[in-house]
Amino acid sequence: EAQVTQNPRYLITVTGKKLTVTCSQNMNHEYMSWYRQDPGLGLRQIYYSMNVEATDKGDVPEGYKVSRKEKRNFPLILESPSPNQTSLYFCASREDGRLYNSPLHFGNGTRLTVT
Amino acid sequence: AQKITQTQPGMFVQEKEAVTLDCTYDTSDPSYGLFWYKQPSSGEMIFLIYQGSYDQQNATEGRYSLNFQKARKSANLVISASQLGDSAMYFCAMREGRGGGFKTIFGAGTRLFVKA
């Protein structure tokens, strides 16, 4: 089954404790992206990647890191999480980052709470 | 700067009636794509419908249609014959081409409640 897999689904952590949210897609998609969803703000892009070893900042990259060493994986790293990073996170992929009509395929989301 | 505006935080509709969810966008790029996604209470994001900036006809997918008015920069989603399962959050999204960095931006969303 074609899918984007995120783990974990739920995560509660404390301020400053490094964490990684994994994302993997099995559709051989070139484009991958991370979003955070907050009430009243919709989804905001954190980072995206057009292909392996090609990443770029989205609209809210502060406090996050990503890497794209393999085509299928795009982990999101929070080196020192803070409470303002409490949010619902989505990983998404697309067949070709340059195609206008290619929709995003989303993972099921990771609900992160930082205390 | 690119921007998506959804002015209806919440809407109610009677089952079996049609409902229109509003979306306006702002871009200076002549090439762009517009999308609608549905987010049920379970949280996943589901792609509904797509409209390209050069498409001459409004997009349709089953009970979903997109009322695309390019001059007004609006891309409203019309759901016909609403069902209880349509109760969800709906997001309008736009992606530009190279000028916009191939990013997809989202509106704040509209929560739809379908009444029995």
Side-chain angles (χ1 to χ4, degrees), chain A residues 33-70:
Chain A
S33 182
W34 277 101
Y35 290 87
R36 60 178 289 173
Q37 181 181 356
D38 302 290
L41 297 177
L43 280 78
R44 294 178 293 168
Q45 192 172 45
I46 303 170
Y47 270 94
Y48 66 97
S49 170
M50 296 290 283
N51 214 323
V52 176
E53 301 293 0
T55 62
D56 211 343
K57 295 178 181 179
D59 294 318
V60 288
E62 293 77 21
Y64 304 95
K65 286 176 59 176
V66 295
S67 67
R68 187 94 182 272
K69 294 183 172 57
E70 315 165 86

Side-chain angles (χ1 to χ4, degrees), chain B residues 52-105:
Chain B
S53 60
Y54 296 113
D55 292 345
Q56 295 297 312
Q57 292 190 328
N58 288 340
T60 61
E61 290 287 348
R63 295 186 299 110
Y64 304 108
S65 60
L66 202 153
N67 184 1
F68 180 47
Q69 298 186 43
K70 193 170 182 177
R72 297 180 59 187
K73 293 188 176 179
S74 74
N76 299 339
L77 177 70
V78 180
I79 305 175
S80 63
S82 298
Q83 302 171 355
L84 295 178
D86 293 334
S87 292
M89 194 75 164
Y90 290 82
F91 291 99
C92 180
M94 174 179 70
R95 69 174 301 255
E96 295 176 330
R98 187 174 300 277
F102 301 107
K103 294 192 295 184
T104 298
I105 60 168

Side-chain angles (χ1 to χ4, degrees), chain A residues 37 48 59 97 99-100 104, chain B residues 35 37 39 50 95 101 103-104:
Chain A
Q37 181 181 356
Y48 66 97
D59 294 318
L99 291 178
Y100 291 99
L104 289 167
Chain B
F35 300 82
Y37 292 87
Q39 186 180 41
Y50 164 82
R95 69 174 301 255
K103 294 192 295 184
T104 298

Side-chain angles (χ1 to χ4, degrees), chain A residues 57-105:
Chain A
K57 295 178 181 179
D59 294 318
V60 288
E62 293 77 21
Y64 304 95
K65 286 176 59 176
V66 295
S67 67
R68 187 94 182 272
K69 294 183 172 57
E70 315 165 86
K71 199 170 188 177
R72 63 182 293 128
N73 294 324
F74 191 45
L76 179 69
I77 303 158
L78 285 71
E79 295 257 346
S80 182
S82 62
N84 64 10
Q85 292 178 297
T86 292
S87 187
L88 177 60
Y89 291 86
F90 284 101
C91 179
S93 71
R94 178 168 41 226
E95 181 177 355
D96 183 330
R98 294 159 294 181
L99 291 178
Y100 291 99
N101 64 349
S102 182
L104 289 167
H105 298 256

